[in-house]
Amino acid sequence: DSARLAWTEADVRFMQDMIGHHAQAVVMARLAPTHGASAEIRTLAGRILNAQRDEIAIMRTWLRDRGRPVPTAPGLD
């Protein structure tokens, strides 16, 4: 009965998988300044870095608050 549960194992798996997905965005955004990106792309990469790091932190907290395993994030840990 999902209406009475605050979260499900599917929610946990989603959060765990998204941490890796967001970490990949961080790794790619870090490449912009060293790979000839224009000023506009470097600005976009900076925004991506800020947003994705914040979202990873939120997802990690969500998992910890529920006592669920928190995966490492390549490029962040």
Side-chain angles (χ1 to χ4, degrees), residues 4 13 25 28-29 32 35 52 62-64 69-70 72 76:
R4 69 178 185 85
R13 285 189 308 275
M28 288 187 289
H35 285 75
Q52 298 302 288
W62 189 93
L63 289 164
R64 281 188 203 105
V70 179
T72 59
L76 298 177

Side-chain angles (χ1 to χ4, degrees), residues 4-15:
R4 69 178 185 85
L5 297 176
W7 52 275
T8 67
E9 285 302 314
D11 297 322
V12 170
R13 285 189 308 275
F14 177 81
M15 291 294 201

Side-chain angles (χ1 to χ4, degrees), residues 54-71:
D54 288 348
E55 290 183 17
I56 290 169
I58 290 167
M59 290 184 282
R60 286 176 163 174
T61 298
W62 189 93
L63 289 164
R64 281 188 203 105
D65 287 351
R66 287 153 183 83
R68 307 306 297 155
V70 179

